[in-house]
Each structure stands twice: as C-alpha cells, then as structure tokens.
Amino acid sequence: MATTEPTFDINDLWKNLSSEQPRQAISNETLLYWQHRSNDPLGKLRKNIRINSGYTVVFGLAWTFLFFSADHFWIRFLLGIMVAGHIAGLLYNRWLLREVVVTPPADTLIRERLTHLSHRMLQGLRSLEYIALFFYPVSITSGFCLALASEDKLDLLVTDQVLQGILVGALVVLTPACYYLTRWLNKLAFGNEVKRLQELVK
C-alpha cells in the first residue's frame, strides 16, 4: 500500500532554515568595483572601438593638414578621398557604439541578442577590410605624388615610365600587405572579444 507520509520532518527542516545566518547584501562600493573591473567582451569591444576612433581622428587630422598644404588639384582630390574615408570611419564607429555593442536589456532574449551582435561585428569587420582595399591605392598614390611634388617633379609621373612602373609595383606589393595587416590588427583588437561572444552563445 502506497504511503503519503513525507520522507523528512518538516519541523526539523524549518528549524534548520531558521537558524541559518542571513547573507549580507553586496555594498554599492563592492558592486561598482567589480563592474569597473569587469572583463566582459562588450566592454572590451566598446573600449577598442573608442581607441580605434582616436587613431582615426589623429590620422584624419594628418590627412586634412596635407590636404590644405598641397597645391596640386589631383593631390588634393586624392587627399580629400582619404579625409572623407576617415570621417566615414568615425561615423561608423559612432554607430557601432550606439546601436551594436550596447548592453542587452534584461527583458530581451540574451542568446539571440549576442548571436546577432557577434554576427554583426564579424560582418562589419569583413566589410571594412574589403572597403579599405579601395583606400590603400589612394593612400599610396597620394604619398607618391606628395614626394614628387615636394621636389617639383610631379610632371615626371606622366612622362617617366620608370616612375610609373615603381608606382604600379608599390601598389601591387603594398595593397595586399596593408589588407593582411588590417585583418591581423582587427583580429588583435576585436577578434578575441567576438570569439568570446560566440563562446557565450554556445
């Protein structure tokens, strides 16, 4: 015959629970300390994006200075493209900080949010690397032309086939080198944190 009697004494259980010391709440100072020391991937991504923005501002100002210092139209045209690219990069970083790497609200599905975030970051990094392939030749050509213009020999680029060959060779060698350098730097700055996001999702 089955029994409905409990396998424990409810009174003893209640006494044991009542005798336990209540745990102390975490102080605000301790909570703020651990929040500050937190090593979460979103915080790291935000920090690295801000650092990237700082470098973008510095190099953008350098290109702007060269733009106003140059005398030739085509050099200014190339430098203007570089300045515009840096402005676009700053706007993109601002969008990432405001729309992508924000802390997910507590009432959302965290797993789906992190999946979307890691996918968006990987997609954004790959897109930037491919878009930069357009700016590397412009940057290399700008530097080449500035060097010739400083010696008042810019017209040789049109007539001297040796200089033209050197420029083409520099583009062929430096463009892929810059591309792979950018991929390595992106992996160094963002890859580990995106990987941690993917591990959290799993």
Side-chain angles (χ1 to χ4, degrees), residues 72 144-160 163:
H72 299 80
F144 202 83
C145 292
L146 280 170
L148 289 174
S150 66
E151 298 294 328
D152 200 21
K153 296 179 180 179
L154 186 60
D155 56 317
L156 291 179
L157 189 58
V158 180
T159 59
D160 194 327
L163 280 177

Side-chain angles (χ1 to χ4, degrees), residues 1 116 129 142:
M1 182 176 175
H116 176 73
E129 290 165 2
S142 299

Side-chain angles (χ1 to χ4, degrees), residues 6-175:
T7 57
F8 56 86
D9 190 333
I10 191 72
N11 293 320
D12 290 340
L13 180 62
W14 181 254
K15 288 178 182 178
N16 291 334
L17 290 174
S18 300
S19 62
E20 287 185 359
Q21 295 294 327
R23 296 180 179 180
Q24 292 183 351
I26 298 176
S27 66
N28 289 334
E29 291 78 9
T30 303
L31 183 61
L32 290 173
Y33 170 79
W34 286 111
Q35 285 176 342
H36 178 71
R37 293 295 301 273
S38 176
N39 197 30
D40 67 292
L42 286 180
K44 283 270 191 175
L45 284 172
R46 284 191 289 265
K47 176 184 175 183
N48 291 344
I49 290 171
R50 290 188 180 99
I51 292 173
N52 181 271
S53 297
Y55 282 114
T56 303
V57 169
V58 171
F59 285 105
L61 290 174
W63 287 115
T64 303
F65 173 77
L66 291 173
F67 174 83
F68 287 108
S69 301
D71 295 328
H72 299 80
F73 169 78
W74 287 110
I75 295 179
R76 279 195 170 187
F77 177 76
L78 294 174
L79 293 173
I81 293 175
M82 296 303 301
V83 172
H86 282 72
I87 293 173
L90 277 178
L91 293 175
Y92 181 74
N93 284 349
R94 185 170 178 264
W95 176 77
L96 284 177
L97 289 171
R98 292 194 169 201
E99 301 294 336
V100 178
V101 292
V102 294
T103 302
D107 59 347
T108 61
L109 296 175
I110 301 300
R111 184 175 183 276
E112 291 183 6
R113 181 74 177 85
L114 293 180
T115 302
H116 176 73
L117 194 153
S118 62
H119 174 72
R120 181 69 68 83
M121 283 298 301
L122 283 175
Q123 191 178 45
L125 290 174
R126 294 292 86 82
S127 298
L128 286 177
E129 290 165 2
Y130 290 125
I131 292 172
L133 281 172
F134 167 77
F135 288 96
Y136 297 140
V138 175
S139 174
I140 295 166
T141 306
S142 299
F144 202 83
C145 292
L146 280 170
L148 289 174
S150 66
E151 298 294 328
D152 200 21
K153 296 179 180 179
L154 186 60
D155 56 317
L156 291 179
L157 189 58
V158 180
T159 59
D160 194 327
Q161 293 184 350
V162 175
L163 280 177
Q164 294 171 358
I166 292 173
L167 175 58
V168 171
L171 293 174
V172 170
V173 173
L174 293 178
T175 299

